[in-house]
Amino acid sequence: MSTDLVLLAVLMFLVTYPTRALGLLTPGLDRLPKVAFDYLQLVGPAVLAALAAVSVMVVVGDDDVPSFHVGIEWVAVFVCLVIVARRRNLFLGLVAAVALVVIAREAGLAALPT
Amino acid sequence: MRRDLRQDLPALNEAVATDTQISRRQLATDAIGIGVSAVGFGFVYGLSAREAGFSIVEAMAMSTIVFAGAAQFAAVGYVASGLAWPGIILLTALLNARHLLYSAALAPWLREVPFARRAAMAHLLTDEAFALAISHFRRIGRTDQRGYWIGAFVATFIPWNLATMAGVVLGAQIADPARLGIDIIFPAAMIGLAVGLITGRRELVAAIVGGVVAVGVALATSPSIGIVTGGIVGPLVGLLVPASLAKETAPLGSLESADRFFMPDSHVTPVPDPPRDASGDEAPG
């Protein structure tokens, strides 16, 4: 059984824990420049959107060349987005996205990923 | 006259206890919702990690040692896309930097808690733990350590880890994951988490620009470079939105941002913002 990624988890912990602990353990850290807080507030949406967009819009072929992809995944992700925005229920959004993809693939309307 | 000596008023410590108990009941109600969500989402994380080739030890190490849902999901995507470890660590640091806002917001409430205990509390400080704790503290107007542990450990850490294990183990029984649409879980989860963090026009611009730049750069270079570039450039462009147009409704670390973790209409927040001392800090109690 592979344990290679345990070291990665430890390294991820080493960059995560300080952000959780510094505010609690270091008095006055909440007085960072406002622009720093503003930037931190925007990082989450940007990174997550980047991950989602690349996951559904970019595929890498056997030749290692990235190409633009259009498919049912776009619709599924959009449905999830709408449900989370309206219902604030991520799990419901995920269930709807998965159900849509399964139905589309079973009905032959979308291809299985290669 | 001391309050506990007056016949017409409850004893002060009794009032405090009742107040705390009522708030803990609300906390428990909220925690059930958060816990159920953690179970579902942790299970999905386990499935995704398994799909990306994580062993059960690796997936569980992420859930116990890192314990940050969005970053863990992102790590699954990074590993699957072949991103080098330094890139993964950089993006994890950026993605989890928002926790600084939570710890800064909770610091005034936990100031009197012993240092070692605060250090332990910090490891369990997630979006959900923050939401439960800050709401509870503001309802009762003071710190309640047991309330923090209920939200952070009982409602989040335990369900998340058990569900991760279940997801990896049961995921191994699925012969053809794509047929069950498991490949869509990762991008859908990412966009859902992003929506939860969009609280104004700056966040919206950062997300859109981050996504567009990521795709453009990914097509020109590679997916991993695109993700890093989008994650860095998106916030910079978002900062260009003037504050007067930002329409920020729930900045991270505020009570309004905490409320976004609860189902609509399921959560009541009766206590207004606490008083602030001369330095501008919230003054617990």
Side-chain angles (χ1 to χ4, degrees), chain A residues 1-2 4-5 9 13 16-17 19-20 23-24 29-31 37 39-41 43 49 55 66 98 102 105-106, chain B residues 55 58 65-67 85 94 96-97 100-101 103 107 118-119 122-123 125 178-180 183 186 203 207 232 252 281:
Chain A
M1 181 180 294
S2 171
D4 296 348
L5 296 176
F13 166 81
T16 299
Y17 183 76
T19 62
R20 289 170 162 164
L24 293 179
L29 201 82
D30 49 334
R31 295 185 184 84
F37 279 111
Y39 185 84
L40 294 180
Q41 170 124 353
V43 167
S55 293
V98 169
V102 169
R105 287 177 181 166
E106 288 298 320
Chain B
S55 70
E58 292 167 335
I65 299 172
V66 183
F67 186 46
W85 282 19
L94 286 173
N96 287 340
L100 186 61
L101 306 175
S103 62
R118 269 182 287 150
H123 179 54
L125 182 55
R179 202 153 207 98
L180 298 179
D183 57 296
F186 174 75
E203 290 80 359
I232 291 172
L252 290 183
D281 288 340

Side-chain angles (χ1 to χ4, degrees), chain B residues 47-230:
Chain B
L47 286 177
S48 298
R50 156 92 195 159
E51 176 77 357
F54 287 46
S55 70
I56 188 167
V57 172
E58 292 167 335
M60 291 304 299
M62 290 279 174
S63 283
T64 53
I65 299 172
V66 183
F67 186 46
Q72 288 180 233
F73 260 103
V76 167
Y78 303 148
V79 169
S81 69
L83 182 59
W85 282 19
I88 297 175
I89 293 160
L90 170 67
L91 282 173
T92 300
L94 286 173
L95 194 53
N96 287 340
R98 70 186 186 285
H99 292 128
L100 186 61
L101 306 175
Y102 299 149
S103 62
L106 282 176
W109 298 91
L110 300 174
R111 197 174 279 152
E112 306 303 321
V113 176
F115 184 89
R117 203 172 298 166
R118 269 182 287 150
M121 286 173 152
H123 179 54
L124 303 183
L125 182 55
T126 57
D127 301 315
E128 293 79 4
F130 167 77
L132 291 169
I134 197 77
S135 304
H136 178 56
F137 293 167
R138 289 200 180 182
R139 275 196 301 269
I140 60 176
R142 65 183 175 281
T143 303
D144 175 25
Q145 291 184 52
R146 187 178 294 179
Y148 183 87
W149 295 118
I150 289 171
F153 190 70
V154 178
T156 314
F157 187 83
I158 292 176
W160 177 258
N161 277 278
L162 291 178
T164 295
M165 190 183 299
V168 177
V169 171
L170 294 179
Q173 315 301 319
I174 300 173
D176 189 359
R179 202 153 207 98
L180 298 179
I182 290 174
D183 57 296
I184 200 63
I185 288 173
F186 174 75
M190 291 298 99
I191 207 68
L193 288 167
V195 168
L197 294 175
I198 292 174
T199 56
R201 288 180 178 166
R202 280 182 168 174
E203 290 80 359
L204 184 61
V205 169
I208 293 171
V209 172
V212 170
V213 168
V215 171
V217 175
L219 290 171
T221 57
S222 74
S224 55
I225 295 174
I227 292 164
V228 175
T229 310

